[in-house]
Amino acid sequence: MAAKGAARARAATGTTAGCVLRVARESANATQAGMAQALGVQLDTWQGWETGRRPLANVKAGALLNLRRRLLALGADPHALHLFDPAMDADRVISATIYPQTAQRHPLADWVHTRDTAHMIAWALTGKIPSALARSSIPGRRGPVADAPLLPAPRHVFFDQLRNTAEWALHTGAEGILLHRQALYLCSYDETPEAAAWMGHALHTRRDVIAARGWSPHWATARSTAAALVRAGDRQPLLDFIDRGIADDDTAERANLNYWAYWLGSIREPQPDDHFMRHQPANWEPVRLLRDLAAGLNPAPAYTDLYIHSLWALLTAHRWLPLADPELANNLHSHSTRLLDHDKISPRSRRELSSLHYVLRQNRA
């Protein structure tokens, strides 16, 4: 049975990366046959890559690098090509979760995943194409081609195994902190009533973590737990976490900005665990982080208070940032004016937004 499970897992490991490859090909206005000919590979090889039967992760590193470069030269969207690595990471997570006997160690325990990886996993789970790929994809595709990666098992199997993984990791001490945190967050993508009940219980049992003041070894777990509770419809724990777990603590404020910087791509080096968050970063890009936080302020209303606090903290630490991108500063100033008229933000957010509004007004070019 184990050998059969391993064979099934191997057959399923490339579906997400294959879908990204298909989107990249479509963005270059090429057919499968035309792209296979242009790259000098057999048509069935290309088709195997796109369907996941021949996982891109199994292609030799040099050949995969050449594939990316040739796709770029042939007109493929660079944004799609950038998502090959997160897509292959997503395939690893999905396969290791559904077929745990094929992996000695779960990949969620090995590195801190980014928003791109989470969005690739969510694409397979929810069918919603990530915004980074949406502009490159052909809407209304006809025929037997799937619009999203196909899971190698029903969704409930993935989520059942993921919940088991999260519960197991909780009892493994420090070794399981990262695995538990990331598995629990991904569990929040399951919106069935049964899952909501399990999620509510699992998350609320961690309220002691959210209630801790300032930085602690479990700070990242508290942040992810509060964020997952928002996805489950409970906004209050996130407001409590901002008040107790971030505000007025220098290490926690730095950790929050580092978390965002890594999650959104300003910190480009992969991180094996959460410890990097508490240290002063050497080379992340404040301007890029400002742009990313500003871009996320409107599309995620449930997280508005966290975005406002993070923007306030970023501009408090780097008051010159509005001068680096005057157009962005002007847009953010206008948006903050509208948000001040919104009755759904917390009193802390209103104070910080007023301060943010002042900084933007004083430092516009």
Side-chain angles (χ1 to χ4, degrees):
M1 292 294 292
K4 183 178 180 181
R8 291 172 64 194
R10 284 194 297 271
T13 53
T15 54
T16 311
C19 280
V20 172
L21 179 65
R22 185 199 68 220
V23 171
R25 172 180 58 78
E26 291 174 346
S27 71
N29 295 314
T31 64
Q32 289 182 333
M35 192 60 78
Q37 182 178 12
L39 271 74
V41 299
Q42 296 295 319
L43 176 58
D44 63 342
T45 297
W46 185 274
Q47 292 172 335
W49 287 341
E50 286 198 9
T51 60
R53 295 193 314 271
R54 296 172 179 258
L56 283 174
N58 293 350
V59 176
K60 291 182 179 180
L64 184 58
L65 179 63
N66 182 62
L67 174 63
R68 296 185 195 205
R69 297 293 185 263
R70 292 286 294 129
L71 282 167
L72 184 65
L74 291 167
D77 188 340
H79 290 86
L81 301 180
H82 167 74
L83 291 171
F84 274 148
D85 286 345
M88 287 187 284
D89 283 339
D91 285 327
R92 286 185 60 209
V93 170
I94 291 169
S95 294
T97 300
I98 293 176
Y99 305 111
Q101 71 273 19
T102 66
Q104 294 182 344
R105 181 178 167 90
H106 200 288
L108 289 177
D110 284 338
W111 87 100
V112 183
H113 71 233
T114 65
R115 179 180 63 172
D116 285 340
T117 301
H119 284 183
M120 290 292 103
I121 296 171
W123 188 19
L125 297 175
T126 67
K128 181 180 179 181
I129 188 167
S131 57
L133 278 180
R135 70 178 190 178
S136 305
S137 183
I138 295 178
R141 184 182 293 105
R142 296 181 178 180
V145 179
D147 289 327
L150 298 176
L151 291 173
R155 288 176 76 254
H156 73 84
V157 174
F158 174 83
F159 283 118
D160 287 347
Q161 293 283 30
L162 191 63
R163 287 190 284 269
N164 290 339
T165 298
E167 291 177 345
W168 174 82
L170 187 60
H171 302 291
T172 58
E175 285 287 318
I177 290 177
L178 181 62
L179 175 57
H180 174 74
R181 175 175 80 77
Q182 300 196 126
L184 195 63
Y185 180 80
L186 291 176
C187 284
S188 67
Y189 283 108
D190 189 354
E191 298 179 350
T192 62
E194 298 81 4
W198 179 91
M199 196 72 182
H201 174 74
L203 292 171
H204 285 288
T205 59
R206 306 296 288 163
R207 278 188 178 272
D208 59 325
V209 174
I210 300 176
R213 290 197 172 273
W215 171 262
S216 77
H218 297 280
W219 184 90
T221 299
R223 190 184 187 282
S224 287
T225 300
L229 279 166
V230 171
R231 191 185 295 279
D234 188 354
R235 176 170 164 257
Q236 189 58 46
L238 182 61
L239 299 179
D240 295 341
F241 178 69
I242 294 170
D243 283 339
R244 292 197 291 259
I246 304 179
D248 305 319
D249 183 284
D250 289 344
T251 303
E253 293 282 15
R254 181 167 57 246
N256 181 54
L257 292 181
N258 286 346
Y259 193 118
W260 276 122
Y262 184 78
W263 179 252
L264 298 174
S266 291
I267 296 177
R268 299 179 181 180
E269 299 80 12
Q271 301 295 329
D273 53 48
D274 293 328
H275 296 306
F276 77 95
M277 296 178 193
R278 66 174 300 180
H279 301 294
Q280 188 67 36
N283 59 352
W284 61 265
E285 308 161 22
V287 176
R288 176 173 175 175
L289 183 56
L290 176 66
R291 292 169 182 159
D292 288 336
L293 288 174
L297 186 59
N298 194 47
Y303 297 95
T304 296
D305 297 279
L306 181 58
Y307 275 100
I308 289 173
H309 180 81
S310 302
L311 281 164
W312 169 83
L314 181 63
L315 285 171
T316 299
H318 304 282
R319 298 180 76 89
W320 54 268
L321 275 174
L323 298 174
D325 193 332
E327 182 178 359
L328 174 64
N330 288 334
N331 291 337
L332 190 55
H333 180 268
S334 299
H335 190 41
S336 65
T337 301
R338 293 192 296 272
L339 281 174
L340 282 169
D341 295 329
H342 202 291
D343 60 357
K344 295 294 181 65
I345 61 176
S346 70
R348 172 182 288 279
S349 293
R350 191 169 298 281
R351 293 193 304 271
E352 292 173 345
L353 196 58
S354 295
S355 177
L356 177 66
H357 190 267
Y358 175 80
V359 171
L360 289 166
R361 185 173 68 248
Q362 293 297 312
N363 290 278
R364 287 187 294 173

